[in-house]
Amino acid sequence: MNTKQRLLSLIDCNNPSLGDLDCGNEDQALDRIVNHFRTRKGPHYLFTARDCETLKDEHILQEAQTVLDHHLFGHDFAGPIDWKFNPTVETSRDNEWSWSLFRTIYWQPLARAYALTKDERYVKEFCDQVRSFYEAWPAKEFIEWDEMDKKSPFPGHAWRTIEAGIRIYTTWLPCMEIFRTSEAFDAETWAIFLCSIHDHGTFLHKHYSNHERSSNWLSMEASALLQLGIMFPEFKDAQAWREQGYQRVMHEIVYCFDHDGAHMEHTPIYHLVASIAFMQAVQLCTINGMEVAPYAMPVLEKSAEFVMRLVKPDFSTPMIGDADRTSLLTRITDTSLYEGMNLSFFPDDLNELRAYFRWMAKLTGRSDFLYMATAGKRGNAPAMLDYQMHDAGIYCMRTGWTRGDSYWHVLGVRLERGEKSSHSHNDTGHLELMIGGEDILIDSGRYIYNSSCWKDWRHYFTGSLAHNTVYIDDHEMGSVPKVNRVRGVRTWCHAFEKTEHYALIDISHNGYVYMQDPVFHRRKVVFLNDSRSMVVIDHLTGTGKAAHDVRWTWNFAGTDVQLLSNHVAKFTTSQGTGYRKYCVAAQGHDQEDTLSVDASTHWESHLYCGSEEPKGGWVSYGYPVREPIAQVQEVFSSAVPLTMATIIANDDVAVSMHIRGQHFRLQVAQQVICGDMTTLEVLQ
């Protein structure tokens, strides 16, 4: 059976929208089908081709040319695209490169360029790649698999459910909408394209991850299946796709998000993936007259609010778990070479984060979403400054929403019970800090996945040393014996309060309980408004049977750090602002320590900057690129109890520190902070 015959066997020849279709006359029937898709007025898609004509961007044509030249994800194909080739074969051996290739996100520049120029070269390239992909990766074998997915050798295959879903809703449907009226989108390619669309529908209908993989997968699978069922009623199987996709989407919208709006994986990138995928499905239902669940829009509005809460004063988002640095101010959101965000296709903006907030502002009428979309130029700043999201385990505070404000958060990320830990890190207690609009302490990002052979780097970037928290014996926080890929960290918030002069976040967690000698970590984070200084008090307690390898790690947002002594480090920001990090520590119940530049200590301090052995001092703002930053470690070989006090203050702020056992007395400018493990007092 050739492609033309196969298509006619899949089409509902009695569909009234196709008119008097004689499937016995193959050429005539195909011509009629192609004309129908070129000219049909419904069902309605999320946008029209004309909507894409409003986007003016000087780089679009250049990006489209790189696709015409087959320069994809940093690799130049010599001639046609080889869909089985992966250029990382001699380096990282990363399947993610191939999976990115299979997602065809690079078709978007072709569609955008055509919308602006009507140059048929872009359509012809799209058609060539559709045909070559269809030939290289026939779906039949994968559709027939009884299990959802099978392990395949490097470099992987094109028919994982996640790639099938991403292709449909980020690229294939948008490209069809933009290219469909072009005569260069010829009948032969239409037949192949529609047959492949049917392959995707059949595959996603049969194969569903259903939380057997990271939960972001099912958001893409379910949304794509529902969109196929809505957008292709001409297929005999469309009703089955539509009904099954509808059930999955409406179930998972309320299942995957908590009451704070946080997606169950609790990392911003994958949260956005799920939120936008579900929102597309809901909006496609709405504009085509399908009822949606009463909770659908309230949940999705809350999910946008969750992202908004995390936006920093410079309009960037923090890298929590497997997340890249994204910004509302940049031309595009994605900073990755490949394995990027793959969020969506917005006709009027290349920055998906900005477009998302604009979309949500339009749908909800909320002025705070508009404030985000316009980086403060329009709308109103959110009414609240501080958010304690207990279900997610994220506690964030700020002094305001303008670019000169300060922001900090403490992580106690808690995954849904049983949720795969694929995209969470060993970061409980992690402190992210921005003072006066300048990053001071940052998360190190994600860099690379275990799909590559660089598993030692994956271990580092997900580990405690890549975060501003306490590392103990390289233990994976929250791991439970005989349970794989499930992280059972739970955090208790003892205090979350703010006064005129200071703000306090006080947490403890169970991340180090399943060690042979259990250790408990309690962290108090105190921001002093008067001097814009940060105080961190860490108490380690437990059975105290053995000495541990204990390290406090501080990852700075830059490389200009000097280690002046074990007590003091100096950091200069990219804008030239000078800060100092001071620390004192006490072992046991009676040991004392006083801040002094010259005094000896019972610990060692190390400064790493782009170190490969041992690994330390790295940040990755986008997959899979890393660059040096300064990292300070305070290293102990000690039993518990162990208490450390840390102050980060501007160079010109006077500081004094004294600690004895678990008791501390600290002075920062005119404010005194004193207390012990269970108490804390700030005196003016």
Side-chain angles (χ1 to χ4, degrees):
M1 183 184 296
N2 62 35
T3 305
K4 189 187 308 181
Q5 293 168 336
R6 180 172 179 241
L7 175 62
L8 294 177
S9 73
L10 302 174
I11 290 287
D12 179 5
C13 295
N14 297 318
N15 187 302
S17 68
L18 294 172
D20 186 16
L21 185 65
D22 180 8
C23 290
N25 187 330
E26 294 177 3
D27 292 335
Q28 185 182 71
L30 179 59
D31 288 343
R32 178 164 294 205
I33 290 169
V34 170
N35 184 65
H36 164 77
F37 278 100
R38 283 177 176 160
T39 61
R40 69 177 188 172
K41 304 302 181 184
H44 303 291
Y45 190 52
L46 296 165
F47 60 84
T48 67
R50 180 166 292 183
D51 293 333
C52 299
E53 297 174 6
T54 62
L55 177 63
K56 305 300 180 186
D57 182 280
E58 61 183 6
H59 299 290
I60 286 177
L61 299 186
Q62 179 182 348
E63 290 178 349
Q65 186 60 49
T66 65
V67 181
L68 293 176
D69 295 337
H70 296 173
H71 181 77
L72 306 176
F73 305 125
H75 175 71
D76 281 311
F77 284 97
I81 295 172
D82 180 352
W83 296 96
K84 306 292 178 72
F85 176 75
N86 184 316
T88 70
V89 61
E90 299 296 335
T91 54
S92 59
R93 291 184 65 84
D94 191 358
N95 286 0
E96 293 289 353
W97 194 94
S98 292
W99 293 333
S100 297
L101 184 72
F102 304 150
R103 292 168 187 175
T104 64
I105 202 76
Y106 43 87
W107 289 358
Q108 289 190 4
L110 296 176
R112 293 187 186 277
Y114 178 72
L116 296 177
T117 66
K118 300 301 183 286
D119 187 334
E120 303 287 4
R121 290 183 305 148
Y122 305 119
V123 188
K124 292 176 181 176
E125 180 63 31
F126 164 76
C127 291
D128 286 346
Q129 292 195 27
V130 166
R131 291 193 296 268
S132 64
F133 177 85
Y134 185 76
E135 181 179 348
W137 288 107
K140 186 175 184 296
E141 171 192 351
F142 304 97
I143 291 172
E144 292 175 350
W145 280 356
D146 291 329
E147 53 194 291
M148 192 202 81
D149 193 9
K150 293 182 180 180
K151 294 287 186 181
S152 60
F154 175 84
H157 62 81
W159 283 99
R160 296 195 309 169
T161 51
I162 183 174
E163 275 74 57
I166 288 173
R167 281 195 293 269
I168 290 300
Y169 77 88
T170 68
T171 304
W172 290 43
L173 293 184
C175 284
M176 188 186 85
E177 176 61 31
I178 295 168
F179 290 142
R180 68 189 180 104
T181 60
S182 170
E183 292 296 326
F185 195 168
D186 59 275
E188 178 189 355
T189 306
W190 266 110
I192 291 172
F193 180 79
L194 291 172
C195 282
S196 193
I197 285 288
H198 191 277
D199 289 340
H200 283 76
T202 304
F203 178 74
L204 290 170
H205 185 255
K206 180 178 178 181
H207 301 284
Y208 182 49
S209 62
N210 196 24
H211 298 280
E212 291 299 317
R213 297 290 190 275
S214 300
S215 295
N216 67 87
W217 282 44
L218 64 84
S219 65
M220 295 180 268
E221 299 159 4
S223 179
L225 181 62
L226 177 53
Q227 292 188 50
L228 288 172
I230 294 173
M231 292 304 299
F232 294 94
E234 298 86 356
F235 284 120
K236 296 173 184 176
D237 295 330
Q239 182 176 346
W241 304 342
R242 187 166 60 251
E243 291 174 353
Q244 185 69 81
Y246 184 85
Q247 290 172 344
R248 292 174 183 174
V249 166
M250 296 306 157
H251 177 270
E252 293 298 336
I253 282 177
V254 74
Y255 186 86
C256 286
F257 297 90
D258 64 28
H259 276 271
D260 290 318
H263 181 260
M264 59 202 308
E265 291 186 84
H266 297 153
T267 179
I269 281 184
Y270 291 98
H271 174 100
L272 280 166
V273 165
S275 183
I276 293 177
F278 285 137
M279 180 59 79
Q280 278 198 2
V282 166
Q283 286 304 299
L284 203 61
C285 285
T286 300
I287 63 180
N288 285 286
M290 293 177 62
E291 187 75 16
V292 299
Y295 49 74
M297 279 307 298
V299 168
L300 293 172
E301 181 178 343
K302 269 290 187 181
S303 74
E305 190 175 306
F306 171 78
V307 180
M308 179 183 72
R309 293 172 178 180
L310 298 177
V311 173
K312 297 164 71 170
D314 64 350
F315 291 99
S316 69
T317 58
M319 298 185 292
I320 299 173
D322 280 338
D324 300 328
R325 175 65 61 88
T326 63
S327 172
L328 287 157
L329 303 178
T330 52
R331 173 179 174 265
I332 60 174
T333 311
D334 209 335
T335 54
S336 297
L337 178 60
Y338 59 90
E339 214 303 294
M341 297 180 70
N342 304 303
L343 290 176
S344 186
F345 185 111
F346 291 97
D348 56 347
D349 200 335
L350 296 171
N351 185 306
E352 295 137 310
L353 183 60
R354 186 168 56 223
Y356 168 67
F357 275 119
R358 185 177 292 111
W359 192 21
M360 293 303 299
K362 182 179 179 180
L363 291 173
T364 65
R366 288 183 55 163
S367 63
D368 50 359
F369 291 161
L370 182 61
Y371 183 89
M372 293 291 132
T374 60
K377 295 183 177 66
R378 296 173 58 195
N380 298 296
M384 290 180 61
L385 298 178
D386 310 318
Y387 300 92
Q388 49 179 327
M389 294 174 276
H390 291 298
D391 288 344
I394 300 174
Y395 306 91
C396 56
M397 289 182 166
R398 66 181 73 234
T399 59
W401 290 93
T402 64
R403 297 193 196 186
D405 275 304
S406 300
Y407 166 98
W408 60 99
H409 72 234
V410 176
L411 296 183
V413 170
R414 47 189 295 168
L415 298 181
E416 181 81 15
R417 286 177 173 84
E419 171 67 16
K420 302 298 183 184
S421 60
S422 304
H423 296 299
S424 69
H425 291 185
N426 294 298
D427 55 8
T428 305
H430 168 79
L431 169 65
E432 179 128 351
L433 176 63
M434 171 178 274
I435 299 178
E438 293 186 274
D439 275 325
I440 308 298
L441 299 174
I442 59 173
D443 193 300
S444 297
R446 57 175 177 154
Y447 180 49
I448 200 83
Y449 285 167
N450 272 334
S451 55
S452 80
C453 67
W454 289 348
K455 291 177 173 51
D456 55 339
W457 282 107
R458 176 65 175 167
H459 179 74
Y460 171 76
F461 274 91
T462 60
S464 302
L465 292 179
H467 301 87
N468 308 312
T469 187
V470 181
Y471 160 108
I472 304 177
D473 296 340
D474 201 26
H475 181 79
E476 184 174 301
M477 289 183 180
S479 58
V480 179
K482 300 180 181 179
V483 179
N484 295 325
R485 296 189 66 205
V486 173
R487 190 165 293 136
V489 173
R490 288 293 182 269
T491 301
W492 184 263
C493 184
H494 299 271
F496 186 91
E497 59 190 52
K498 198 180 225 182
T499 71
E500 178 184 355
H501 298 291
Y502 74 91
L504 168 65
I505 302 172
D506 181 358
I507 67 165
S508 61
H509 65 86
N510 67 345
Y512 293 121
V513 168
Y514 272 113
M515 299 197 306
Q516 189 169 358
D517 180 38
V519 175
F520 309 108
H521 176 206
R522 183 168 180 175
R523 167 164 279 190
K524 300 181 182 75
V525 171
V526 186
F527 186 80
L528 304 175
N529 295 336
D530 298 357
S531 61
R532 297 203 302 186
S533 303
M534 179 61 76
V535 177
V536 182
I537 312 293
D538 289 297
H539 300 279
L540 301 182
T541 59
T543 56
K545 296 177 180 178
H548 297 279
D549 178 9
V550 181
R551 307 183 191 192
W552 271 262
T553 308
W554 310 93
N555 295 279
F556 288 89
T559 58
D560 193 351
V561 172
Q562 302 171 51
L563 199 58
L564 304 182
S565 72
N566 282 352
H567 280 115
V568 185
K570 176 179 172 58
F571 168 59
T572 304
T573 71
S574 60
Q575 297 180 30
T577 310
Y579 288 89
R580 298 204 178 200
K581 187 190 78 65
Y582 308 92
C583 64
V584 292
Q587 295 171 292
H589 296 284
D590 298 313
Q591 189 178 56
E592 295 187 61
D593 190 21
T594 300
L595 178 63
S596 172
V597 174
D598 300 321
S600 61
T601 63
H602 49 279
W603 73 86
E604 295 182 358
S605 292
H606 301 287
L607 174 61
Y608 299 108
C609 188
S611 171
E612 298 203 15
E613 189 57 48
K615 289 180 172 57
W618 294 99
V619 67
S620 174
Y621 292 112
Y623 192 105
V625 179
R626 58 184 163 92
E627 61 185 78
I629 55 171
Q631 179 191 84
V632 173
Q633 288 185 21
E634 284 99 28
V635 181
F636 295 76
S637 178
S638 171
V640 297
L642 177 60
T643 300
M644 173 169 275
T646 304
I647 295 173
I648 297 175
N650 196 280
D651 271 346
D652 59 7
V653 174
V655 170
S656 66
M657 308 176 74
H658 178 76
I659 190 170
R660 179 179 180 180
Q662 295 181 346
H663 299 268
F664 53 88
R665 181 180 175 84
L666 318 171
Q667 183 163 355
V668 183
Q670 303 304 311
Q671 292 179 286
V672 174
I673 305 94
C674 55
D676 54 27
M677 187 171 122
T678 59
T679 65
L680 183 138
E681 189 174 9
V682 179
L683 307 173
Q684 292 298 115

